[in-house]
Amino acid sequence: MKIIGVQSSPHRHGSTAQLLQEALKGARDGGAETELIYLPDQNIQFCVGCQQCLASDGCAINDDINALRDKILQADGVILASPTYEADMNAMMKNFLDRILPYTCYRSAFRSKYVAAISTAGGFGAKTAAKRMTIIRMGFHKQGIVSGTLGAIVGFGDVQSYLNKAYHLGNKMTLDIKKQKKYPLQMLSEKIMFNLFLRRIMSKNIIEHREGKRKSVYQYLKREGLLRKDPMSSTSA
């Protein structure tokens, strides 16, 4: 069992880092192997919207995102951690998600993975920011599973009261992975919307462009058994 922590705070040993480290400690105590990815050390450029990641197996930009994506997709769980900037995740985390989501969302590559998120704030917005980071689990065909989130109002460094919660968040993820817990009511309205509408629309788009700009996505979904005949189209997958 492998759990990866992704930290976007520029403060290597700040409040966000302390909570992520405690969550990873909880994961290790639960039997997981852990690894920390410190985003400020990575070369991650801005997405240019070329959509090559949907036509081929990698990104057109020659930076660190392909290697990071492959590493995360080999893990069983991911814990994202960001400070709260203006009631949201910081730009470094948002850029990371901008780059990885076009690959994972179309392919539902996080469908069997567990996600948790941690955000810290001086006064407000931490819970909102943490919840927004769980978007990494999104998939047009199947969704990943959220083990939990932690929004910590730490003021001027008052992080101690949240360390135990962070530890239990990481430990809970290991239990979820071991039990393959599904949380069927989680994000229920979103799942209904995806199953009734978005999945059919995206399947039709992927099938129509299976020899061109959606070729890699089509091949992946066929290989994984995720792409069915689209009821909106007479074309069979």
Side-chain angles (χ1 to χ4, degrees), residues 182-212:
K182 299 303 181 186
Y183 297 105
L185 298 181
Q186 188 178 88
M187 310 292 183
L188 185 59
S189 59
E190 181 183 277
K191 290 176 182 176
I192 292 172
M193 181 183 68
F194 271 67
N195 288 333
L196 291 181
F197 302 106
L198 287 179
R199 183 176 183 183
R200 294 194 301 161
I201 293 169
M202 295 312 302
S203 293
K204 185 175 186 293
N205 177 270
I206 291 165
I207 291 168
E208 287 179 347
H209 298 285
R210 63 187 180 275
E211 297 298 331

Side-chain angles (χ1 to χ4, degrees), residues 15 18-19 22 153-154 157-166:
S15 297
Q18 291 178 58
L19 293 179
E22 198 66 18
I153 306 301
V154 299
D158 183 20
V159 73
Q160 295 299 316
S161 60
Y162 290 97
L163 292 176
N164 191 51
K165 292 180 180 180

Side-chain angles (χ1 to χ4, degrees), residues 115-156:
V115 175
I118 297 169
S119 191
T120 59
F124 66 94
K127 289 183 179 180
T128 299
K131 184 177 180 180
R132 283 176 60 82
M133 281 188 278
T134 65
I135 195 174
I136 195 172
R137 89 210 182 291
M138 185 182 290
F140 286 127
H141 299 269
K142 283 189 177 182
Q143 308 284 302
I145 299 163
V146 179
S147 285
T149 61
L150 175 59
I153 306 301
V154 299
F156 295 98

